[in-house]
C-alpha cells in the first residue's frame, strides 16, 4: 500500500475460474474463498487488481463462465483479462484429454466474449480478450493463433449488435 501512494500500479491475480470443481481439475491449488479474502485485503489497501479468467476450461459451460465474470466483477477488481484456453503440446491437458477442443469455432468464441463484455461493468478495464499460443505447439483450437481476426471479429460483432461494455447490467 505504501508503493500505491507514490506510484501507479496494479496487481494481477490468475484466478482462471470462480468454480472450485474446475479449480481442482486444473490443479489451481486454492479455493475461491482464498481469492475472496485476498481481494478484500487488497481493496482495503486501495490496490488495483486485474483478474485473469480462462474461457473454455474443461467441464465449464457458458453459464459457468458468465458466473465467473459476475463473481469477479463484484469482488472489487479494477481490470479483467479474458484468456482463450489453448491446448498445447506437452501440457497435462494434451495428455489427459488429447481430443479436447475448447471452442469448435472462432464465431462461437467471439459470441461468448461479446456476451461477457455486455455484463462487465463499464468502470472495469478490459485488458485482454483472447490469448494465443505459438502455432508449433498449438493443438486446439486450430484457429486461435489468428489473434487479429478474433479481435476484429469481436469488434464487428459488437458493432453488429449495437452493443457496448456493460449494456446488459440491470440498474
Amino acid at each position: 500500500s505504501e508503493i500505491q501512494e507514490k506510484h501507479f500500479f496494479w496487481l494481477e491475480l490468475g484466478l482462471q475460474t470462480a468454480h472450485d470443481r474446475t479449480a481442482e481439475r486444473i490443479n489451481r491449488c486454492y479455493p475461491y474463498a482464498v481469492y475472496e479474502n485476498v481481494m478484500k485485503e487488497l481493496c482495503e489497501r486501495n490496490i488495483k487488481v486485474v483478474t485473469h479468467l480462462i474461457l473454455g476450461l474443461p467441464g465449464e459451460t457458458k453459464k459457468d463462465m458468465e458466473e465467473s465474470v459476475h463473481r469477479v466483477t463484484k469482488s472489487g477488481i479494477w481490470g479483467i483479462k479474458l484468456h482463450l484456453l489453448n491446448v498445447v503440446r506437452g501440457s497435462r491437458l494434451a495428455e489427459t484429454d488429447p481430443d479436447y477442443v475448447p471452442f469448435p469455432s472462432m464465431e462461437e468464441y467471439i459470441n461468448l466474449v461479446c456476451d461477457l463484455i455486455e455484463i462487465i461493468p463499464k468502470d472495469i478495464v478490459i485488458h485482454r480478450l483472447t490469448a494465443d499460443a505459438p502455432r508449433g505447439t498449438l493443438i486446439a483450437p486450430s484457429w486461435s493463433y489468428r489473434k487479429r481476426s478474433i479481435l476484429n471479429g469481436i469488434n464487428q460483432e459488437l458493432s453488429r449488435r449495437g452493443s457496448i461494455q456493460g449494456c446488459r447490467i440491470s440498474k
Side-chain angles (χ1 to χ4, degrees), residues 86-95 98 133-140:
N86 286 280
V87 182
V88 294
R89 294 184 209 313
S91 68
R92 191 175 96 168
L93 182 59
E95 293 171 14
R135 287 175 77 178
T137 63
L138 180 65
I139 297 172

Side-chain angles (χ1 to χ4, degrees), residues 18-170:
H19 302 282
D20 287 341
R21 69 181 187 285
T22 307
E24 284 182 36
R25 185 170 182 180
I26 65 171
N27 198 29
R28 187 179 67 198
C29 298
Y30 63 91
Y32 185 74
V34 170
Y35 171 83
E36 289 177 307
N37 291 335
V38 167
M39 280 303 301
K40 183 177 182 237
E41 290 184 31
L42 292 168
C43 288
E44 287 171 0
R45 291 171 174 81
N46 294 317
I47 295 174
K48 291 175 177 58
V49 176
V50 176
T51 296
H52 293 239
L53 293 176
I54 296 178
L55 305 177
L57 290 168
E60 288 210 342
T61 64
K62 178 181 178 186
K63 183 180 176 197
D64 292 331
M65 291 179 264
E66 288 175 343
E67 186 176 318
S68 286
V69 168
H70 277 298
R71 290 173 77 180
V72 302
T73 59
K74 292 182 180 355
S75 70
I77 62 170
W78 174 73
I80 190 167
K81 288 187 176 184
L82 302 176
H83 297 263
L84 165 62
L85 176 67
N86 286 280
V87 182
V88 294
R89 294 184 209 313
S91 68
R92 191 175 96 168
L93 182 59
E95 293 171 14
T96 60
D97 269 318
D99 297 324
Y100 182 70
V101 178
F103 296 93
S105 72
M106 186 185 306
E107 292 73 26
E108 184 178 323
Y109 182 75
I110 287 169
N111 281 312
L112 171 68
V113 170
C114 291
D115 290 345
L116 297 177
I117 289 170
E118 292 175 345
I119 63 171
I120 296 172
K122 292 178 183 180
D123 62 334
I124 293 176
V125 179
I126 300 174
H127 291 246
R128 180 172 293 147
L129 295 172
T130 191
D132 55 346
R135 287 175 77 178
T137 63
L138 180 65
I139 297 172
S142 61
W143 45 264
S144 72
Y145 72 90
R146 298 176 51 203
K147 192 171 189 175
R148 179 93 48 220
S149 296
I150 296 166
L151 295 174
N152 286 339
I154 291 167
N155 188 46
Q156 291 166 356
E157 178 60 18
L158 289 171
S159 293
R160 187 194 68 72
R161 294 179 184 193
S163 185
I164 60 171
Q165 181 178 344
C167 70
R168 284 193 340 194
I169 298 173
S170 352

